[in-house]
Coordinates of all heavy atoms in Angstrom, one line a residue:
M1 N -53.5 -6.3 14.0 CA -52.1 -6.7 13.7 C -51.3 -5.5 13.3 O -51.7 -4.7 12.4 CB -52.1 -7.7 12.6 CG -50.9 -8.6 12.7 SD -51.3 -10.2 11.9 CE -50.3 -10.1 10.5
R2 N -50.1 -5.4 13.9 CA -49.3 -4.2 13.6 C -48.6 -4.5 12.2 O -48.1 -5.5 12.0 CB -48.2 -4.0 14.6 CG -48.8 -3.5 15.9 CD -47.7 -3.4 16.9 NE -47.5 -2.0 17.2 CZ -46.6 -1.6 18.1 NH1 -45.8 -2.5 18.7 NH2 -46.4 -0.3 18.3
E3 N -48.4 -3.4 11.5 CA -47.7 -3.5 10.2 C -46.2 -3.2 10.5 O -45.9 -2.3 11.2 CB -48.3 -2.4 9.3 CG -48.0 -2.7 7.9 CD -48.7 -1.7 7.0 OE1 -49.9 -1.5 7.1 OE2 -48.0 -1.0 6.2
K4 N -45.4 -4.0 9.9 CA -44.0 -3.8 10.0 C -43.6 -2.5 9.3 O -44.0 -2.3 8.1 CB -43.2 -5.0 9.5 CG -43.1 -6.1 10.4 CD -42.1 -7.1 9.9 CE -41.8 -8.2 10.9 NZ -40.9 -9.2 10.4
R5 N -42.7 -1.7 9.9 CA -42.2 -0.5 9.2 C -41.1 -1.0 8.3 O -40.2 -1.8 8.7 CB -41.6 0.4 10.2 CG -42.6 1.3 10.9 CD -41.9 2.3 11.7 NE -42.8 3.2 12.3 CZ -42.6 4.3 13.0 NH1 -41.3 4.6 13.1 NH2 -43.5 5.0 13.5
R6 N -41.1 -0.5 7.1 CA -40.0 -0.7 6.2 C -38.9 0.3 6.5 O -39.2 1.5 6.4 CB -40.5 -0.6 4.8 CG -41.3 -1.8 4.3 CD -41.5 -1.6 2.8 NE -42.2 -2.8 2.4 CZ -42.5 -3.0 1.1 NH1 -42.2 -2.1 0.2 NH2 -43.2 -4.0 0.8
E7 N -37.8 -0.2 6.7 CA -36.6 0.7 6.9 C -36.1 1.1 5.5 O -35.9 0.2 4.6 CB -35.6 0.1 7.7 CG -36.0 -0.1 9.1 CD -34.8 -0.6 10.0 OE1 -33.6 -0.3 9.7 OE2 -35.1 -1.3 11.0
K8 N -35.8 2.3 5.4 CA -35.3 2.8 4.1 C -33.8 2.3 4.0 O -33.1 2.4 5.0 CB -35.3 4.3 4.0 CG -36.7 4.9 3.8 CD -36.6 6.3 3.5 CE -38.0 6.9 3.3 NZ -37.9 8.4 3.1
A9 N -33.5 1.8 2.9 CA -32.1 1.5 2.7 C -31.2 2.7 2.6 O -31.6 3.7 2.0 CB -31.9 0.7 1.4
P10 N -30.1 2.7 3.3 CA -29.2 3.9 3.3 C -28.8 4.2 1.9 O -28.5 3.3 1.1 CB -28.1 3.6 4.2 CG -28.3 2.2 4.7 CD -29.5 1.7 4.1
M11 N -28.7 5.5 1.6 CA -28.2 5.8 0.2 C -26.7 5.7 0.1 O -26.0 5.9 1.1 CB -28.6 7.3 -0.1 CG -30.1 7.5 -0.2 SD -30.5 9.2 -0.6 CE -29.8 9.4 -2.2
S12 N -26.2 5.4 -1.0 CA -24.8 5.3 -1.3 C -24.2 6.7 -1.4 O -24.7 7.6 -2.0 CB -24.6 4.5 -2.6 OG -23.2 4.5 -2.9
L13 N -23.0 6.8 -0.7 CA -22.3 8.1 -0.7 C -21.5 8.2 -2.0 O -20.8 7.3 -2.3 CB -21.4 8.2 0.5 CG -20.4 9.4 0.5 CD1 -21.2 10.7 0.6 CD2 -19.4 9.3 1.6
K14 N -21.7 9.3 -2.7 CA -20.8 9.6 -3.9 C -19.7 10.5 -3.5 O -19.9 11.6 -3.0 CB -21.7 10.2 -5.0 CG -22.7 9.3 -5.6 CD -23.5 10.0 -6.7 CE -22.7 10.2 -7.9 NZ -23.5 10.8 -9.0
A15 N -18.5 9.9 -3.5 CA -17.3 10.6 -3.0 C -16.2 10.6 -4.0 O -16.2 9.8 -4.9 CB -16.9 10.0 -1.7
A16 N -15.2 11.4 -3.7 CA -14.0 11.5 -4.6 C -12.7 11.7 -3.7 O -12.8 12.3 -2.7 CB -14.1 12.6 -5.6
F17 N -11.6 11.2 -4.2 CA -10.3 11.5 -3.6 C -9.5 12.1 -4.7 O -9.4 11.5 -5.8 CB -9.7 10.2 -3.1 CG -8.3 10.4 -2.6 CD1 -8.1 11.0 -1.3 CD2 -7.2 10.0 -3.3 CE1 -6.9 11.2 -0.8 CE2 -5.9 10.2 -2.7 CZ -5.8 10.8 -1.5
I18 N -8.9 13.3 -4.5 CA -8.1 14.0 -5.5 C -6.7 14.0 -4.9 O -6.5 14.5 -3.8 CB -8.6 15.4 -5.8 CG1 -10.0 15.4 -6.3 CG2 -7.6 16.1 -6.7 CD1 -10.6 16.8 -6.4
F19 N -5.7 13.5 -5.7 CA -4.3 13.5 -5.3 C -3.6 14.4 -6.3 O -3.9 14.5 -7.5 CB -3.7 12.2 -5.1 CG -3.5 11.4 -6.4 CD1 -2.4 11.4 -7.1 CD2 -4.6 10.6 -6.8 CE1 -2.2 10.6 -8.3 CE2 -4.5 9.8 -8.0 CZ -3.3 9.8 -8.7
V20 N -2.5 15.1 -5.8 CA -1.7 16.0 -6.7 C -0.4 15.3 -6.9 O 0.3 14.9 -6.0 CB -1.7 17.4 -6.1 CG1 -1.0 17.4 -4.7 CG2 -1.1 18.3 -7.1
A21 N 0.0 15.2 -8.2 CA 1.2 14.7 -8.6 C 1.7 15.4 -9.9 O 0.8 15.5 -10.8 CB 1.2 13.2 -8.8
P22 N 2.8 16.0 -10.0 CA 3.2 16.9 -11.1 C 3.0 16.3 -12.5 O 2.7 17.0 -13.4 CB 4.7 17.2 -10.8 CG 4.8 17.2 -9.3 CD 3.8 16.0 -8.9
E23 N 3.1 15.0 -12.6 CA 3.0 14.3 -13.9 C 1.6 13.8 -14.2 O 1.3 13.1 -15.2 CB 4.0 13.2 -14.1 CG 5.4 13.7 -14.0 CD 5.9 14.6 -15.1 OE1 5.5 14.3 -16.3 OE2 6.6 15.5 -14.9
A24 N 0.6 14.0 -13.3 CA -0.7 13.4 -13.4 C -1.5 14.1 -14.5 O -1.3 15.3 -14.8 CB -1.4 13.5 -12.1
D25 N -2.4 13.4 -15.1 CA -3.3 13.9 -16.1 C -4.7 13.4 -15.7 O -5.0 12.2 -15.7 CB -3.0 13.4 -17.5 CG -4.0 13.8 -18.6 OD1 -5.1 14.2 -18.2 OD2 -3.6 13.7 -19.7
S26 N -5.6 14.3 -15.3 CA -6.9 13.9 -14.7 C -7.8 13.1 -15.7 O -8.7 12.5 -15.2 CB -7.6 15.2 -14.2 OG -7.9 16.0 -15.2
N27 N -7.5 13.3 -17.0 CA -8.3 12.5 -17.9 C -7.8 11.0 -18.0 O -8.6 10.2 -18.3 CB -8.2 13.1 -19.3 CG -8.8 14.5 -19.4 OD1 -10.0 14.6 -18.9 ND2 -8.1 15.5 -19.9
K28 N -6.6 10.8 -17.7 CA -6.1 9.4 -17.7 C -5.9 8.7 -16.3 O -6.1 7.5 -16.2 CB -4.7 9.4 -18.4 CG -4.7 9.7 -19.8 CD -3.4 9.3 -20.5 CE -2.3 10.3 -20.0 NZ -1.0 10.1 -20.8
H29 N -5.5 9.5 -15.3 CA -5.2 9.0 -14.0 C -6.4 9.1 -13.1 O -6.5 10.0 -12.2 CB -4.0 9.7 -13.5 CG -2.8 9.5 -14.4 ND1 -2.2 10.6 -14.9 CD2 -2.1 8.5 -14.8 CE1 -1.2 10.2 -15.7 NE2 -1.1 8.9 -15.6
R30 N -7.3 8.2 -13.3 CA -8.5 8.1 -12.5 C -9.0 6.7 -12.4 O -8.8 5.9 -13.3 CB -9.6 9.0 -12.9 CG -10.1 8.9 -14.4 CD -11.3 9.8 -14.7 NE -11.0 11.2 -14.7 CZ -11.9 12.2 -14.4 NH1 -13.1 11.8 -14.3 NH2 -11.6 13.4 -14.3
A31 N -9.6 6.3 -11.3 CA -10.1 5.0 -11.0 C -11.4 5.1 -10.2 O -11.6 6.0 -9.4 CB -9.1 4.1 -10.3
A32 N -12.3 4.1 -10.4 CA -13.5 4.1 -9.6 C -13.6 2.8 -8.8 O -13.2 1.8 -9.3 CB -14.7 4.2 -10.6
I33 N -14.2 3.0 -7.6 CA -14.4 1.8 -6.7 C -15.9 2.0 -6.2 O -16.2 3.1 -5.8 CB -13.5 1.9 -5.5 CG1 -12.0 1.8 -5.9 CG2 -13.8 0.7 -4.5 CD1 -11.0 2.1 -4.9
K34 N -16.6 0.9 -6.3 CA -18.0 0.9 -5.9 C -18.2 -0.2 -4.9 O -17.9 -1.3 -5.1 CB -18.9 0.8 -7.0 CG -20.4 1.0 -6.6 CD -21.3 1.1 -7.9 CE -22.6 1.4 -7.4 NZ -23.4 2.1 -8.3
T35 N -18.7 0.2 -3.7 CA -19.1 -0.7 -2.7 C -20.6 -0.5 -2.4 O -21.2 0.5 -3.0 CB -18.4 -0.4 -1.3 OG1 -18.9 0.7 -0.7 CG2 -16.9 -0.3 -1.5
P36 N -21.2 -1.3 -1.6 CA -22.7 -1.1 -1.5 C -23.0 0.3 -0.8 O -24.1 0.8 -1.0 CB -23.1 -2.3 -0.5 CG -22.1 -3.3 -0.8 CD -20.8 -2.6 -1.1
M37 N -22.1 0.8 -0.1 CA -22.4 2.1 0.6 C -21.6 3.3 0.1 O -22.0 4.4 0.3 CB -22.0 2.0 2.1 CG -22.9 0.9 2.8 SD -24.7 1.3 2.7 CE -24.7 2.9 3.5
V38 N -20.5 3.1 -0.7 CA -19.8 4.2 -1.2 C -19.4 4.0 -2.6 O -18.9 2.9 -3.0 CB -18.5 4.4 -0.3 CG1 -17.6 5.6 -0.9 CG2 -18.8 4.7 1.1
S39 N -19.6 5.0 -3.5 CA -19.0 5.0 -4.8 C -17.9 6.1 -4.8 O -18.2 7.3 -4.5 CB -20.1 5.4 -5.8 OG -21.1 4.5 -5.9
L40 N -16.7 5.7 -5.0 CA -15.5 6.6 -4.9 C -14.8 6.6 -6.2 O -14.5 5.6 -6.9 CB -14.6 6.0 -3.8 CG -13.3 6.8 -3.7 CD1 -13.5 8.1 -3.0 CD2 -12.3 6.0 -2.9
I41 N -14.5 7.8 -6.6 CA -13.6 8.0 -7.8 C -12.3 8.7 -7.3 O -12.4 9.7 -6.5 CB -14.3 8.9 -8.9 CG1 -13.4 9.0 -10.1 CG2 -14.7 10.2 -8.3 CD1 -14.1 9.5 -11.3
A42 N -11.2 8.1 -7.7 CA -9.9 8.7 -7.3 C -9.3 9.3 -8.6 O -9.3 8.7 -9.6 CB -9.0 7.6 -6.8
I43 N -8.8 10.5 -8.5 CA -8.3 11.3 -9.6 C -7.0 12.0 -9.3 O -6.9 12.7 -8.3 CB -9.4 12.4 -10.0 CG1 -10.7 11.7 -10.4 CG2 -8.8 13.2 -11.2 CD1 -11.8 12.7 -10.6
G44 N -6.0 11.8 -10.2 CA -4.8 12.5 -10.0 C -4.8 13.8 -10.9 O -5.3 13.8 -12.0
V45 N -4.3 14.9 -10.3 CA -4.2 16.2 -10.9 C -2.8 16.7 -10.9 O -2.0 16.3 -10.0 CB -5.2 17.2 -10.3 CG1 -6.6 16.8 -10.5 CG2 -4.8 17.5 -8.9
K46 N -2.4 17.5 -11.9 CA -1.0 17.9 -11.9 C -0.7 19.2 -11.1 O 0.4 19.4 -10.8 CB -0.6 18.2 -13.4 CG -1.3 19.3 -14.0 CD -0.9 19.5 -15.5 CE -1.8 20.6 -16.1 NZ -1.8 20.5 -17.5
D47 N -1.8 19.9 -10.8 CA -1.6 21.1 -10.0 C -2.9 21.6 -9.4 O -4.0 21.0 -9.7 CB -0.9 22.3 -10.8 CG -1.7 22.6 -12.1 OD1 -2.9 22.3 -12.2 OD2 -1.0 23.0 -13.1
Y48 N -2.9 22.7 -8.7 CA -4.1 23.3 -8.1 C -5.1 23.7 -9.2 O -6.3 23.5 -9.0 CB -3.8 24.4 -7.2 CG -3.1 24.1 -5.9 CD1 -2.6 25.1 -5.1 CD2 -2.9 22.8 -5.5 CE1 -2.0 24.8 -3.9 CE2 -2.2 22.5 -4.3 CZ -1.7 23.5 -3.5 OH -1.1 23.3 -2.3
K49 N -4.7 24.3 -10.3 CA -5.6 24.7 -11.3 C -6.4 23.5 -11.8 O -7.6 23.7 -12.0 CB -4.8 25.4 -12.5 CG -5.7 25.9 -13.6 CD -4.8 26.5 -14.7 CE -5.8 26.9 -15.8 NZ -5.0 27.4 -17.0
E50 N -5.7 22.4 -12.1 CA -6.5 21.2 -12.6 C -7.4 20.7 -11.5 O -8.5 20.2 -11.8 CB -5.5 20.2 -13.0 CG -6.2 19.0 -13.8 CD -5.2 18.1 -14.4 OE1 -4.1 17.9 -13.9 OE2 -5.6 17.5 -15.4
A51 N -7.0 20.8 -10.2 CA -7.8 20.3 -9.1 C -9.1 21.2 -9.0 O -10.2 20.6 -8.8 CB -7.1 20.5 -7.8
I52 N -9.0 22.4 -9.3 CA -10.2 23.3 -9.3 C -11.2 22.9 -10.4 O -12.4 22.8 -10.2 CB -9.8 24.8 -9.4 CG1 -9.1 25.2 -8.1 CG2 -11.0 25.7 -9.8 CD1 -8.4 26.5 -8.2
E53 N -10.6 22.7 -11.6 CA -11.5 22.2 -12.7 C -12.1 20.9 -12.5 O -13.3 20.7 -12.8 CB -10.6 22.1 -14.0 CG -10.0 23.4 -14.5 CD -8.9 23.2 -15.6 OE1 -8.6 22.1 -16.0 OE2 -8.3 24.3 -15.9
V54 N -11.4 19.9 -11.9 CA -11.9 18.6 -11.6 C -13.0 18.8 -10.5 O -14.1 18.1 -10.6 CB -10.8 17.7 -11.2 CG1 -11.3 16.4 -10.5 CG2 -9.9 17.3 -12.4
T55 N -12.8 19.6 -9.5 CA -13.8 19.8 -8.4 C -15.1 20.3 -9.0 O -16.2 19.8 -8.7 CB -13.2 20.8 -7.4 OG1 -12.1 20.2 -6.8 CG2 -14.3 21.1 -6.4
K56 N -15.0 21.2 -9.9 CA -16.3 21.7 -10.5 C -17.0 20.6 -11.3 O -18.2 20.5 -11.3 CB -16.0 22.9 -11.5 CG -15.5 24.2 -10.7 CD -15.1 25.3 -11.6 CE -14.7 26.5 -10.8 NZ -14.3 27.6 -11.7
E57 N -16.2 19.8 -12.0 CA -16.8 18.6 -12.7 C -17.5 17.7 -11.8 O -18.6 17.2 -12.0 CB -15.7 17.9 -13.5 CG -16.0 16.6 -14.1 CD -14.7 15.8 -14.5 OE1 -13.7 16.4 -14.9 OE2 -14.7 14.6 -14.3
L58 N -16.8 17.4 -10.7 CA -17.3 16.4 -9.7 C -18.6 16.9 -9.0 O -19.6 16.1 -8.9 CB -16.3 16.1 -8.6 CG -15.0 15.4 -9.1 CD1 -13.9 15.4 -8.0 CD2 -15.3 14.0 -9.6
V59 N -18.7 18.1 -8.6 CA -19.9 18.6 -8.0 C -21.1 18.6 -9.0 O -22.2 18.4 -8.6 CB -19.7 20.0 -7.3 CG1 -18.8 19.9 -6.1 CG2 -19.4 21.1 -8.2
E60 N -20.8 18.9 -10.3 CA -21.8 18.8 -11.3 C -22.4 17.3 -11.4 O -23.5 17.1 -11.8 CB -21.3 19.2 -12.6 CG -21.1 20.7 -12.8 CD -20.6 21.2 -14.1 OE1 -20.6 20.4 -15.1 OE2 -20.1 22.3 -14.2
Q61 N -21.5 16.4 -11.1 CA -21.9 15.0 -11.2 C -22.6 14.5 -9.9 O -22.9 13.3 -9.8 CB -20.6 14.1 -11.5 CG -20.0 14.3 -12.8 CD -18.7 13.6 -13.0 OE1 -18.3 12.8 -12.1 NE2 -18.0 13.8 -14.1
G62 N -22.7 15.3 -8.9 CA -23.4 15.0 -7.7 C -22.5 14.4 -6.6 O -23.0 13.8 -5.7
I63 N -21.2 14.6 -6.7 CA -20.3 14.1 -5.7 C -20.6 14.9 -4.4 O -20.6 16.1 -4.5 CB -18.8 14.2 -6.1 CG1 -18.5 13.4 -7.4 CG2 -17.9 13.9 -5.0 CD1 -18.6 11.9 -7.1
A64 N -20.8 14.2 -3.3 CA -21.1 14.9 -2.1 C -20.0 15.1 -1.1 O -20.0 16.0 -0.3 CB -22.2 14.0 -1.3
A65 N -18.9 14.4 -1.3 CA -17.7 14.5 -0.5 C -16.4 14.4 -1.3 O -16.3 13.5 -2.1 CB -17.7 13.5 0.6
I66 N -15.5 15.3 -1.1 CA -14.2 15.3 -1.8 C -13.1 15.3 -0.7 O -13.1 16.2 0.1 CB -14.0 16.5 -2.7 CG1 -15.1 16.4 -3.8 CG2 -12.7 16.5 -3.4 CD1 -15.2 17.7 -4.7
E67 N -12.2 14.3 -0.8 CA -11.1 14.3 0.1 C -9.8 14.6 -0.7 O -9.6 14.1 -1.8 CB -11.0 13.0 0.8 CG -9.9 13.0 1.9 CD -10.0 11.8 2.9 OE1 -10.9 11.0 2.7 OE2 -9.2 11.8 3.8
L68 N -9.0 15.5 -0.1 CA -7.8 15.9 -0.8 C -6.6 15.2 -0.2 O -6.5 15.1 1.0 CB -7.6 17.4 -0.7 CG -8.8 18.2 -1.3 CD1 -8.5 19.7 -1.0 CD2 -9.0 17.9 -2.7
C69 N -5.6 14.8 -1.0 CA -4.4 14.2 -0.5 C -3.6 15.2 0.3 O -3.8 16.4 0.3 CB -3.6 13.6 -1.6 SG -2.5 14.7 -2.4
G70 N -2.6 14.6 1.1 CA -1.7 15.5 1.9 C -0.9 16.4 1.1 O -0.3 17.3 1.7
G71 N -0.8 16.3 -0.2 CA 0.0 17.2 -1.0 C -0.6 18.6 -1.1 O 0.0 19.6 -1.4
F72 N -1.9 18.7 -0.8 CA -2.6 20.0 -0.8 C -2.3 20.7 0.4 O -2.5 20.2 1.5 CB -4.1 19.8 -0.9 CG -4.6 19.4 -2.3 CD1 -4.6 18.1 -2.7 CD2 -5.0 20.4 -3.2 CE1 -5.1 17.8 -4.0 CE2 -5.5 20.1 -4.4 CZ -5.5 18.8 -4.8
G73 N -1.8 21.9 0.3 CA -1.5 22.8 1.4 C -2.8 23.5 1.8 O -3.9 23.3 1.2
L74 N -2.7 24.4 2.7 CA -3.9 25.3 3.1 C -4.4 26.0 2.0 O -5.6 26.1 1.8 CB -3.5 26.2 4.3 CG -3.0 25.5 5.5 CD1 -2.5 26.5 6.5 CD2 -4.1 24.6 6.2
E75 N -3.6 26.6 1.1 CA -4.1 27.4 0.0 C -4.7 26.6 -1.0 O -5.8 26.9 -1.6 CB -2.9 28.2 -0.6 CG -2.3 29.2 0.3 CD -1.0 29.8 -0.2 OE1 -0.7 29.7 -1.4 OE2 -0.3 30.4 0.6
G76 N -4.2 25.4 -1.3 CA -4.8 24.5 -2.3 C -6.2 24.0 -1.8 O -7.1 23.9 -2.6
A77 N -6.2 23.6 -0.5 CA -7.5 23.1 0.0 C -8.5 24.3 0.0 O -9.7 24.0 -0.3 CB -7.3 22.6 1.4
A78 N -8.1 25.5 0.3 CA -9.1 26.6 0.3 C -9.6 26.9 -1.2 O -10.7 27.1 -1.3 CB -8.4 27.8 0.8
A79 N -8.7 26.7 -2.1 CA -9.1 26.9 -3.5 C -10.1 25.9 -4.0 O -11.1 26.2 -4.7 CB -7.9 26.9 -4.5
V80 N -9.9 24.6 -3.6 CA -10.8 23.5 -3.9 C -12.2 23.8 -3.2 O -13.3 23.6 -3.8 CB -10.3 22.2 -3.6 CG1 -11.3 21.1 -3.6 CG2 -9.1 21.8 -4.5
K81 N -12.1 24.2 -2.0 CA -13.4 24.4 -1.2 C -14.2 25.5 -1.9 O -15.4 25.4 -2.0 CB -13.1 24.8 0.3 CG -14.3 25.0 1.1 CD -14.0 25.2 2.5 CE -15.3 25.5 3.2 NZ -15.2 25.4 4.7
K82 N -13.5 26.6 -2.3 CA -14.2 27.7 -3.0 C -14.8 27.2 -4.3 O -15.9 27.6 -4.7 CB -13.2 28.8 -3.3 CG -13.8 30.0 -3.9 CD -12.8 31.2 -4.1 CE -13.5 32.4 -4.7 NZ -12.5 33.5 -4.9
A83 N -14.0 26.3 -5.0 CA -14.6 25.8 -6.3 C -15.8 25.0 -6.1 O -16.6 24.9 -7.0 CB -13.4 25.1 -7.0
A84 N -15.9 24.3 -5.0 CA -17.0 23.4 -4.7 C -18.3 24.2 -4.4 O -19.4 23.6 -4.5 CB -16.7 22.5 -3.6
E85 N -18.2 25.4 -4.1 CA -19.3 26.3 -3.8 C -20.3 25.8 -2.9 O -21.5 25.9 -3.0 CB -20.0 26.7 -5.1 CG -19.1 27.4 -6.1 CD -19.8 27.8 -7.4 OE1 -20.8 27.1 -7.8 OE2 -19.3 28.7 -8.1
G86 N -19.8 25.0 -1.9 CA -20.7 24.5 -0.8 C -21.5 23.3 -1.3 O -22.4 22.8 -0.5
K87 N -21.3 22.8 -2.5 CA -22.1 21.7 -3.0 C -21.5 20.3 -2.6 O -22.1 19.3 -2.9 CB -22.1 21.8 -4.5 CG -22.9 23.0 -5.0 CD -22.8 23.2 -6.5 CE -23.5 24.5 -6.9 NZ -23.2 24.8 -8.3
A88 N -20.3 20.3 -2.0 CA -19.7 19.1 -1.5 C -18.9 19.4 -0.3 O -18.3 20.5 -0.2 CB -18.7 18.5 -2.6
A89 N -18.8 18.4 0.6 CA -18.0 18.6 1.8 C -16.5 18.3 1.4 O -16.3 17.4 0.6 CB -18.4 17.6 2.9
I90 N -15.6 19.1 1.9 CA -14.2 19.0 1.5 C -13.4 18.6 2.8 O -13.5 19.2 3.8 CB -13.6 20.3 1.0 CG1 -14.5 20.9 -0.2 CG2 -12.2 20.2 0.5 CD1 -14.6 20.0 -1.4
G91 N -12.6 17.5 2.6 CA -11.8 17.1 3.7 C -10.4 17.0 3.2 O -10.1 16.9 2.0
V92 N -9.4 16.9 4.1 CA -8.0 16.9 3.8 C -7.2 15.9 4.6 O -7.3 15.9 5.8 CB -7.4 18.3 4.0 CG1 -5.9 18.4 3.5 CG2 -8.2 19.4 3.2
V93 N -6.4 15.1 3.9 CA -5.4 14.3 4.6 C -4.2 15.3 4.8 O -3.9 16.0 4.0 CB -5.0 13.1 3.7 CG1 -3.8 12.4 4.3 CG2 -6.1 12.3 3.3
R94 N -3.6 15.2 6.1 CA -2.6 16.2 6.4 C -1.2 15.6 6.5 O -1.0 14.6 7.2 CB -2.9 16.9 7.7 CG -4.1 17.8 7.6 CD -4.0 19.0 6.7 NE -2.7 19.7 6.8 CZ -2.0 20.2 5.8 NH1 -2.6 20.1 4.6 NH2 -0.9 20.8 5.9
F95 N -0.3 16.2 5.8 CA 1.1 16.1 6.0 C 1.7 17.5 6.1 O 1.3 18.3 5.3 CB 1.8 15.4 4.8 CG 1.6 14.0 4.6 CD1 0.6 13.5 3.8 CD2 2.4 13.0 5.2 CE1 0.4 12.1 3.6 CE2 2.3 11.7 5.1 CZ 1.2 11.2 4.2
D96 N 2.6 17.8 7.1 CA 3.2 19.0 7.1 C 4.2 19.1 5.9 O 4.3 20.1 5.3 CB 4.0 19.2 8.4 CG 3.0 19.5 9.6 OD1 1.9 20.0 9.3 OD2 3.4 19.2 10.7
N97 N 4.8 18.0 5.6 CA 5.8 18.0 4.5 C 5.5 16.6 3.9 O 5.8 15.6 4.4 CB 7.2 18.0 5.0 CG 7.5 19.3 5.8 OD1 7.3 20.4 5.2 ND2 7.8 19.2 7.0
H98 N 5.0 16.7 2.6 CA 4.6 15.4 1.9 C 5.8 14.7 1.3 O 6.6 15.3 0.6 CB 3.6 15.8 0.8 CG 2.9 14.6 0.3 ND1 3.4 13.7 -0.6 CD2 1.6 14.2 0.6 CE1 2.6 12.8 -0.8 NE2 1.5 13.0 -0.1
P99 N 5.9 13.4 1.7 CA 7.1 12.6 1.2 C 7.1 12.4 -0.4 O 8.1 12.3 -1.0 CB 6.9 11.3 1.9 CG 5.5 11.2 2.3 CD 5.1 12.6 2.5
G100 N 5.9 12.6 -1.0 CA 5.9 12.4 -2.5 C 6.1 13.7 -3.2 O 6.2 13.8 -4.4
L101 N 6.3 14.8 -2.5 CA 6.6 16.1 -3.1 C 7.9 16.7 -2.5 O 7.9 17.9 -2.1 CB 5.4 17.1 -2.8 CG 4.0 16.7 -3.4 CD1 2.9 17.6 -3.0 CD2 4.1 16.6 -4.9
Q102 N 8.9 15.9 -2.4 CA 10.2 16.3 -1.9 C 10.1 16.9 -0.5 O 10.8 17.9 -0.2 CB 10.9 17.3 -2.9 CG 11.2 16.8 -4.2 CD 10.1 16.9 -5.2 OE1 9.3 17.9 -5.2 NE2 9.9 15.9 -6.0
F103 N 9.2 16.4 0.3 CA 9.0 16.8 1.7 C 8.6 18.3 1.8 O 9.0 19.0 2.7 CB 10.2 16.5 2.6 CG 10.2 15.0 2.8 CD1 11.0 14.2 1.9 CD2 9.5 14.3 3.7 CE1 11.1 12.8 2.1 CE2 9.5 12.9 3.9 CZ 10.4 12.2 3.0
K104 N 7.8 18.7 0.8 CA 7.3 20.1 0.8 C 5.8 20.1 0.8 O 5.2 19.1 0.5 CB 7.7 20.9 -0.5 CG 9.2 21.1 -0.5 CD 9.6 21.8 -1.8 CE 11.1 21.9 -1.9 NZ 11.5 22.6 -3.1
S105 N 5.1 21.2 1.1 CA 3.7 21.3 1.0 C 3.4 21.7 -0.5 O 4.2 22.4 -1.2 CB 3.2 22.5 1.9 OG 1.9 22.9 1.5
G106 N 2.2 21.3 -1.0 CA 1.9 21.8 -2.3 C 1.8 23.2 -2.5 O 2.0 23.8 -3.6
D107 N 1.6 23.9 -1.4 CA 1.6 25.4 -1.4 C 2.9 26.0 -1.9 O 3.0 27.0 -2.5 CB 1.2 26.0 -0.1 CG -0.2 25.8 0.3 OD1 -1.0 25.3 -0.5 OD2 -0.5 26.1 1.5
E108 N 4.0 25.3 -1.6 CA 5.3 25.7 -2.0 C 5.6 25.4 -3.5 O 6.4 26.1 -4.1 CB 6.4 25.0 -1.2 CG 6.4 25.4 0.3 CD 7.4 24.5 1.0 OE1 8.7 24.7 0.7 OE2 7.0 23.8 1.9
I109 N 4.9 24.4 -4.0 CA 5.2 24.0 -5.4 C 4.2 24.5 -6.4 O 4.6 24.9 -7.5 CB 5.1 22.4 -5.5 CG1 6.2 21.8 -4.5 CG2 5.3 21.9 -6.9 CD1 6.1 20.4 -4.3
F110 N 2.9 24.6 -6.0 CA 1.9 25.0 -7.0 C 1.5 26.4 -6.7 O 0.7 26.9 -7.3 CB 0.7 24.0 -7.0 CG 1.2 22.5 -7.1 CD1 1.1 21.7 -6.0 CD2 1.7 22.1 -8.3 CE1 1.5 20.3 -6.2 CE2 2.1 20.8 -8.5 CZ 2.0 19.9 -7.4

């Protein structure tokens, strides 16, 4: 009699979404959502410097994927990628001119 193979349950993805907003405080402006397949933390940061600090914190916590809001320009996304040190995949939502940042790129502001 053949033995049934047990399929391994897929692991839950630990992910984060970081958005940039000048009045944000990463200690206060955060929320968590957990589904059977994804655990997501959303965090607001006031600038690129805070985004870099938060990124380092997240990779220490085992976050495997970080998505950045459209307010991050090329320079901001590159700074976050460098801060992750290859320990998390970095993705970016793109706006050429972000409506929440006076239709500018974060690169112009931060």
